[in-house]
Amino acid sequence: MQELEKKLNYTFRNQELLREALNHSSYANEHRSQGLGSNERLEFLGDSVLGFVTAEYLFDRHPDLPEGDLTRIRAALVCEQSLHEVAQKLNLGSYLKLGKGEEAGGGRHRASILADATEAVFAAVYLDGGITAASELIHRVLLDVEREEVVEERRRDYKTLLQEHIQRKAGQELTYCMVREEGPDHAKTFVTEVRLNGAAIGEGSGHSKKESEQMAAKSALEKLDNQ
């Protein structure tokens, strides 16, 4: 636990809060006789703490943005993918307590489990040290200008941009074809090729078919722009 506390740059007064934040429901169910709780309640609280801290950050940072834009950016910053990246940076998966079945199924690397645990840790820090401690942690691991730029990059719909680009000429047809899958089932990567009138013009990869299509479209746009 001390190793994780160093990564969090926070020392718990109540170590049980951190332990509970790392207990997946599968582990708690297997050890019900010991009265162990899962991290689900902390995850629920952490979601709200994260939402508030992020909303305050964006409200202060972007005084001219309307409510709709603030809501969109907040949703992107606190999405599963962002939280999964935080968990990976903290190596949170190595500290999780999982049931035997979840462990065997690759749960230690599953994005949804890691994202939920990240929210639970935020809640544990909030309960142990208050909103200031939680806010400092969230700012340190999640909220910065660079991550906002990454979020904005992800938000761009490259497929639409590519479609608009090729429609400048009549008779153009785009198709997306998944060409292969890579990696284990719990961390699979999809590789997609985008074709213009049957000829490959870009290739991209991602952890979902949709993401790989977007990356393929981005690749094609970059090539077309350089021609």
Side-chain angles (χ1 to χ4, degrees), residues 23-216:
N23 285 346
H24 187 256
S25 57
S26 61
Y27 183 83
N29 290 336
E30 288 183 7
H31 297 80
R32 195 171 297 169
S33 60
Q34 300 176 26
L36 291 180
S38 77
N39 62 7
E40 290 180 344
R41 282 172 53 83
L42 285 173
E43 175 208 333
F44 165 78
L45 178 59
D47 179 69
S48 293
V49 172
L50 174 61
F52 168 73
V53 171
T54 305
E56 184 180 48
Y57 163 79
L58 293 173
F59 185 85
D60 290 339
R61 176 168 167 70
H62 301 289
D64 300 323
L65 280 185
E67 182 267 347
D69 288 341
L70 293 172
T71 299
R72 172 182 54 74
I73 299 173
R74 180 181 62 180
L77 281 170
V78 304
C79 72
E80 180 181 290
Q81 184 174 356
S82 290
L83 293 172
H84 179 216
E85 289 168 357
V86 170
Q88 288 178 311
K89 186 163 57 176
L90 297 171
N91 195 24
L92 201 58
S94 66
Y95 304 101
L96 291 179
K97 296 291 183 66
L98 302 173
K100 294 177 182 177
E102 197 64 64
E103 181 78 67
R108 197 170 295 280
H109 306 285
R110 187 165 293 130
S112 59
I113 290 177
L114 290 170
D116 291 346
T118 302
E119 289 184 324
V121 169
F122 290 159
V125 171
Y126 166 72
L127 291 173
D128 191 75
I131 191 62
T132 298
S135 180
E136 288 175 352
L137 171 61
I138 291 168
H139 276 76
R140 193 159 53 245
V141 300
L142 184 65
L143 301 179
D144 55 42
V145 175
E146 182 179 341
R147 184 167 290 274
E148 268 198 73
E149 292 173 350
V150 169
V151 163
E152 284 299 298
E153 176 74 8
R154 284 182 189 149
R155 189 183 64 82
R156 296 190 67 188
D157 185 352
Y158 292 106
K159 289 180 69 175
T160 297
L161 292 173
L162 179 59
Q163 186 69 37
E164 291 172 350
H165 189 286
I166 66 106
Q167 283 179 343
R168 296 171 186 171
K169 294 182 180 180
Q172 305 292 299
E173 182 181 13
L174 280 177
T175 55
Y176 291 85
C177 302
M178 192 180 72
V179 293
R180 63 184 181 276
E181 298 178 11
E182 301 172 344
D185 289 340
H186 63 267
K188 194 173 288 298
T189 297
F190 300 92
V191 180
T192 294
E193 192 174 77
V194 58
R195 299 168 183 169
L196 177 60
N197 300 326
I201 59 170
E203 185 177 284
S205 63
H207 293 299
S208 69
K209 292 179 182 178
K210 286 185 177 179
E211 183 184 1
S212 69
E213 289 178 356
Q214 287 286 349
M215 292 301 98

